[in-house]
Amino acid sequence: MEINFTHHQSAHCENGVVSNLMKHNGFNVSEPMVFGIGSGLLFCYIPFLMVNHAPALTYRAMPGFIFKRFAKRVGIKIKREKFKNPQNAKARLDENLNKNNPVGLQVGVYNLVYFPDEYRFHFNAHNLVVYGKKEDSYLISDPVMETVTTLTAKELEKVRFAKGAFAPKGHMYYPIDFPKELNLEKAIVRGIKQTCREMLAPVPIVGVKGIRTVAKLIRKWPKKKGTKVANHYLGQVVRMQEEIGTGGGGFRYIYAAFLQEAGKVLKNDTLIELSTEMTAIGDSWRDFALDASRIYKNRSAKDDAYNDVASQLDDIANREEVFFKKLKKAI
């Protein structure tokens, strides 16, 4: 039971799964295009949700939103299912594979045996494709991995029913209906408008205001929480930015690639110029991450290191505010 499925490596799991499923069904849609149309770019500080004993941050839309928005905007119908019973989840997966239908799954990272140990922690919003089964092993196309791999039925069940925040509950999803051709132009405009709206939202934990909020908190953490906790919290900021399948820079590089592609589709040179600007902002996020990592690894030689990285974030927030106002105007 093996579907003729082509694996393409990507920077981020959900974008990669959607792009690979689209390509399998005859539509050559890139990972950045999926991300941009699905309004994937975001910044949100979620203090009431603790992940790995630190406040949650996200640089992307909530799990599942990218595919949902992308599908709606280009006219695709998708089917989503969750399960209480692992046996029912396994049966539905096998049923789809028997119909020659590869499916996307939401899984927990901690028990993914093919991941390096340093990447295995409690995070339940990872995505992969199952494209077949041989005896007791499922054939896995994990888009962040270089090649395809396998999981035993027991191993797959364990990650499909991981416990904790964003518990997947056997979540599986797949496209079921397609238009004759995709109307990318309108979808691109809608995707950009929503991203601009969210990044410029008048809410203290979302978008550029959210970045400024985190900058203020970073200045307070050492005195308020103590060095050990402050370092752990700062590490969370960097981990979510650089390690959770983002391709680096908190998804800014992927969004820059989307604007480059969108500019060509819409014949809009301003978007191509803004792509270059977004790449430069991504570089600044990378610089922030490097300096922050020196602090929590106790390698920073700067006397006022926490204030220094907080000032970097303030500068990034100012630049992104200007950027998204220009992007909003450009479309």
Side-chain angles (χ1 to χ4, degrees):
M1 186 160 59
E2 181 174 358
I3 298 165
N4 184 19
F5 183 86
T6 303
H7 172 83
H8 300 274
Q9 189 175 19
S10 66
H12 174 251
C13 62
E14 187 174 346
N15 307 326
V17 164
V18 178
S19 177
N20 283 344
L21 289 175
M22 291 298 294
K23 288 173 181 174
H24 177 75
N25 286 284
F27 297 91
N28 189 22
V29 182
S30 71
E31 176 192 5
M33 188 59 73
V34 169
F35 185 67
I37 289 176
S39 302
L41 190 76
L42 184 65
F43 183 91
C44 187
Y45 172 66
I46 316 170
F48 48 83
L49 177 62
M50 300 296 281
V51 177
N52 296 308
H53 309 291
L57 288 102
T58 183
Y59 294 78
R60 52 155 287 183
M62 292 289 282
F65 278 29
I66 294 172
F67 194 13
K68 182 179 179 181
R69 293 167 179 168
F70 172 82
K72 184 177 181 182
R73 288 166 184 168
V74 301
I76 295 166
K77 291 182 181 178
I78 57 176
K79 185 172 180 63
R80 296 182 176 278
E81 296 178 83
K82 289 190 176 183
F83 304 88
K84 293 181 180 179
N85 187 305
Q87 283 73 39
N88 292 342
K90 181 177 182 295
R92 288 291 290 133
L93 174 59
D94 289 350
E95 183 182 326
N96 273 279
L97 297 178
N98 279 319
K99 292 178 180 177
N100 213 38
N101 187 31
V103 299
L105 298 183
Q106 180 186 335
V107 299
V109 167
Y110 187 76
N111 289 301
L112 279 178
V113 294
Y114 57 80
F115 262 29
D117 287 345
E118 59 268 27
Y119 287 102
R120 291 173 61 184
F121 57 97
H122 294 287
F123 178 73
N124 290 331
H126 187 61
N127 294 265
L128 51 80
V129 173
V130 179
Y131 68 95
K133 185 179 182 182
K134 287 185 178 179
E135 296 178 352
D136 191 47
S137 290
Y138 286 91
L139 308 181
I140 307 295
S141 168
D142 188 321
V144 303
M145 304 300 288
E146 189 174 350
T147 59
V148 294
T149 186
T150 61
L151 289 172
T152 66
K154 190 174 182 180
E155 289 168 343
L156 185 60
E157 180 183 312
K158 199 167 187 178
V159 296
R160 291 186 74 187
F161 287 87
K163 305 296 183 184
F166 304 117
K169 299 177 183 176
H171 183 199
M172 62 186 287
Y173 55 90
Y174 45 93
I176 56 173
D177 190 43
F178 300 88
K180 287 185 178 179
E181 58 182 58
L182 305 182
N183 186 345
L184 293 182
E185 290 86 351
K186 287 184 179 179
I188 287 169
V189 171
R190 289 184 66 189
I192 290 175
K193 283 183 175 179
Q194 180 167 354
T195 297
C196 291
R197 191 163 59 246
E198 291 177 345
M199 288 303 297
L200 297 171
V203 182
I205 61 171
V206 176
V208 295
K209 286 186 178 292
I211 299 170
R212 292 188 179 114
T213 294
V214 172
K216 288 177 185 176
L217 290 169
I218 287 174
R219 297 181 196 278
K220 297 176 182 178
W221 281 341
K223 287 185 179 179
K224 190 174 181 181
K225 301 289 184 180
T227 303
K228 185 177 180 180
V229 173
N231 283 355
H232 181 63
Y233 281 14
L234 191 60
Q236 174 91 316
V237 177
V238 174
R239 174 181 279 181
M240 300 306 289
Q241 175 189 318
E242 295 294 330
E243 295 181 9
I244 311 300
T246 69
F251 291 96
R252 270 59 186 170
Y253 296 129
I254 296 178
Y255 202 72
F258 159 68
L259 292 175
Q260 179 85 15
E261 198 173 337
K264 293 174 183 175
V265 172
L266 297 179
K267 297 179 175 58
N268 186 329
D269 291 340
T270 304
L271 295 185
I272 296 173
E273 292 167 10
L274 287 171
S275 168
T276 302
E277 188 174 335
M278 177 50 76
T279 299
I281 291 173
D283 291 341
S284 295
W285 276 106
R286 267 275 167 88
D287 292 340
F288 158 77
L290 182 61
D291 289 342
S293 67
R294 287 182 179 133
I295 296 172
Y296 63 74
K297 292 177 180 177
N298 298 314
R299 294 174 185 167
S300 177
K302 296 180 180 178
D303 294 332
D304 203 15
Y306 270 89
N307 280 328
D308 181 70
V309 293
S311 295
Q312 289 182 50
L313 275 191
D314 280 329
D315 178 63
I316 288 170
N318 293 338
R319 290 168 64 190
E320 291 208 352
E321 183 174 14
V322 171
F323 174 88
F324 284 106
K325 285 179 179 176
K326 285 195 287 188
L327 180 58
K328 184 179 178 181
K329 187 177 180 182
I331 55 155

